[in-house]
């Protein structure tokens, strides 16, 4: 696909599956954005949403992101996402995830679920009592499995290394990285960056976790808002999405943004705004694919060595994407989208339908 078309070419989702179950209190939606390259794979988010419409909007956005991410990572998967609305007040968590498992089962392998924000390994074990189409389960016999976050962090660190070399002509031991959010991925990323010699500045609302990072990594702690305009070389958003809007971008002092959070751009035009200010934005759906690579390895039965090799390839993939962006005169975000959309469009089922 020509790069100038890629920006506007948002594919419509193949299927939107709303569900609700009064008995368990489960309410949410599964979006199958695309199954052209294989089953729609993407985790389940459990989060507060003011309305069903808001939950669906989030699922649509996240599922499209998964389709792009899986295609770009060269996985035999389409893209999908489940969103569960966090019930008001106390609820039976096991019943909630059993209910989700039933909906996943009804899709007969067209959707594969795993963890995302708000869900964990124990939840996926409940889902697994209802369906085989789930990953992120405890690893068995040295095989891939379990919490995908360390793999996501490894992929981000690989990409950051490449981006720092490309944009600053430096290595990680020369730079200061601001990590926003010290959850599963952010904290693991800090460990890797600290080991690679980077200086760290962190923001995390759970003060005990921030204090631990200060203690273990010598990290400077600041508020999340202050971090967005702090004098750091690299900003690594690792909390929720939408963090890069026009105002944030105008205040950025970092020359590079490379982090794990999904959908970091509040809107697509922010990619150009970042470039206009001389900030290299490493596309989120390219750099944060390590977790889904591990999920794929678990679901498809790969060995740990293959998972590691594919996660380590994220750095090279970013280098290739940066080269293509420069060659074609577009921002890396658009180059990455175009590569992913080309792969989806070239899938045999899409050709057969055309
Ligand atoms: P998490 O819930 O474990 O961590 C999020 C952290 O961000 C928490 O510690 C939370 O307290 C903190 N936080 C919340 N609001 C904040 C704010 N305003 N400023 C700073 N910190 C804030 O989630 P996670 O699994 O670490 O995922 C982080 C991001 O990476 C999410 O956007 C997720 O979708 C994305 N992601 C995760 C994976 C994975 O393998 N877990 C894979 C790909 C993408």
């Amino acid at each position: 696909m020509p790069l100038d078309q890629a920006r506007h070419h948002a594919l419509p989702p193949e299927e939107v599956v709303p569900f609700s179950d009064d008995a368990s209190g489960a309410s949410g939606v599964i979006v199958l954005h695309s199954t052209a390259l294989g089953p729609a794979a993407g985790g389940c988010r459990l989060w507060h949403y003011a309305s069903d419409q808001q939950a669906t909007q989030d699922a649509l956005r996240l599922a499209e992101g998964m389709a792009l991410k899986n295609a770009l990572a060269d996985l035999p998967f389409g893209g999908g996402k489940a969103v569960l609305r966090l019930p008001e007040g106390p609820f039976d968590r096991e019943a909630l995830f059993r209910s989700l498992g039933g909906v996943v089962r009804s899709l007969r392998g067209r959707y594969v679920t795993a963890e995302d924000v708000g869900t964990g390994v124990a939840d996926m074990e409940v889902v697994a009592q209802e369906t085989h189409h789930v990953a992120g389960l405890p690893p068995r016999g040295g095989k891939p499995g379990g919490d995908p976050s360390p793999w996501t962090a490894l992929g981000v660190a690989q990409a950051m290394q490449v981006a720092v070399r490309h944009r600053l002509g430096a290595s990680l031991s020369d730079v200061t990285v601001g990590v926003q959010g010290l959850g599963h991925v952010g904290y693991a990323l800090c460990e890797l960056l600290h080991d690679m010699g980077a200086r760290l500045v962190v923001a995390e609302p759970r003060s005990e976790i921030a204090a631990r990072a200060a203690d273990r990594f010598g990290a400077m702690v600041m508020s999340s808002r202050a971090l967005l305009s702090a004098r750091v070389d690299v900003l690594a958003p690792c909390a929720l999405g939408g963090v890069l809007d026009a105002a944030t971008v105008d205040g950025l002092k970092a020359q590079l943004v490379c982090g794990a959070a999904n959908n970091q751009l509040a809107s697509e035009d922010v990619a150009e705004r970042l470039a206009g200010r001389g900030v290299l934005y490493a596309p989120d759906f390219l750099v944060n694919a390590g977790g889904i690579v591990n999920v794929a390895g678990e679901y498809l039965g790969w060995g740990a060595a293959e998972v590691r090799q594919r996660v380590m390839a994220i750095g090279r993939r970013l280098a290739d994407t940066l080269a293509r962006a420069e060659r074609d005169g577009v921002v890396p975000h658009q180059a990455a989208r175009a590569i992913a959309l080309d792969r989806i469009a070239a899938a045999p089922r899409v050709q057969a339908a055309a």
Side-chain angles (χ1 to χ4, degrees):
M1 170 176 302
L3 284 162
D4 55 347
Q5 284 179 21
R7 164 188 332 201
H8 303 293
H9 194 279
L11 295 166
E14 276 177 26
E15 199 173 337
V16 178
V17 185
F19 58 89
S20 68
D21 173 16
D22 289 344
S24 66
S27 162
V29 60
I30 295 177
V31 173
L32 283 71
H33 186 84
S34 159
T35 57
L37 291 168
C44 172
R45 180 164 293 196
L46 176 65
W47 197 248
H48 288 287
Y49 293 98
S51 64
D52 287 343
Q53 195 194 2
Q54 220 183 64
T56 303
Q57 281 307 322
D58 207 26
L60 285 166
R61 219 168 39 91
L62 293 164
E64 185 190 6
M66 288 309 301
L68 295 173
K69 185 188 306 195
N70 294 341
L72 197 57
D74 228 351
L75 296 173
F77 280 144
K81 202 84 181 182
V83 158
L84 264 174
R85 290 184 66 181
L86 191 61
E88 302 289 337
F91 65 96
D92 180 343
R93 196 167 176 109
E94 185 171 337
L96 203 75
F97 283 95
R98 265 191 191 284
S99 200
L100 174 75
V103 184
V104 174
R105 186 181 61 232
S106 74
L107 293 170
R108 298 176 183 186
R110 297 185 64 229
Y111 169 65
V112 180
T113 199
E115 295 91 347
D116 188 57
V117 175
T119 60
V121 174
D123 300 322
M124 294 308 124
E125 287 186 282
V126 175
V127 172
Q129 292 172 29
E130 300 293 326
T131 177
H132 297 305
H133 305 299
V134 53
L137 301 169
R140 290 200 184 89
K143 291 282 193 186
D147 177 11
S149 310
W151 294 104
T152 304
L154 181 61
V156 172
Q158 294 305 308
M160 198 182 290
Q161 219 170 8
V162 167
V164 165
R165 204 177 310 129
H166 182 94
R167 177 70 180 81
L168 305 170
S171 69
L172 281 171
S173 58
D174 303 318
V175 299
T176 302
V177 183
V179 181
Q180 185 190 47
L182 302 181
H184 290 91
V185 181
Y187 198 87
L189 179 63
C190 284
E191 283 177 330
L192 293 169
L193 296 177
H194 178 67
D195 287 349
M196 292 161 123
R199 291 177 297 278
L200 295 171
V201 182
V202 299
E204 164 59 50
R206 295 176 300 155
S207 52
E208 72 285 6
I209 307 289
R212 194 190 303 161
D215 188 43
R216 280 198 53 192
F217 314 128
M220 181 192 290
V221 179
M222 55 174 72
S223 74
S224 193
R225 198 184 168 85
L227 183 66
L228 293 174
S229 57
R231 290 201 178 280
V232 293
D233 301 299
V234 185
L235 177 68
C238 295
L240 290 177
V243 69
L244 298 169
D245 59 17
T248 313
V249 170
D250 291 349
L252 273 184
K253 300 201 179 56
Q255 297 181 70
L256 248 161
V257 178
C258 179
N262 281 314
N263 299 319
Q264 289 168 35
L265 304 178
S267 55
E268 290 284 303
D269 57 306
V270 173
E272 266 96 17
R273 198 175 185 106
L274 282 157
R277 293 206 65 236
V279 179
L280 172 60
Y281 173 65
D284 49 15
F285 61 94
L286 189 164
V287 307
N288 71 11
I292 193 72
V293 169
N294 186 53
V295 163
E298 175 186 347
Y299 190 71
L300 299 170
W302 297 340
E306 174 153 12
V307 167
R308 188 174 175 82
Q309 185 200 335
R310 283 174 176 259
V311 174
M312 298 300 279
I314 288 174
R316 197 186 59 239
R317 189 165 299 123
L318 178 63
D320 292 347
T321 303
L322 295 177
R324 178 161 170 178
E326 274 178 9
R327 191 194 70 201
D328 293 330
V330 297
V331 295
H333 180 73
Q334 295 306 339
R337 269 184 77 90
I339 294 167
L341 288 171
D342 280 349
R343 288 211 177 122
I344 294 169
R349 259 183 281 173
V350 172
Q351 282 174 349

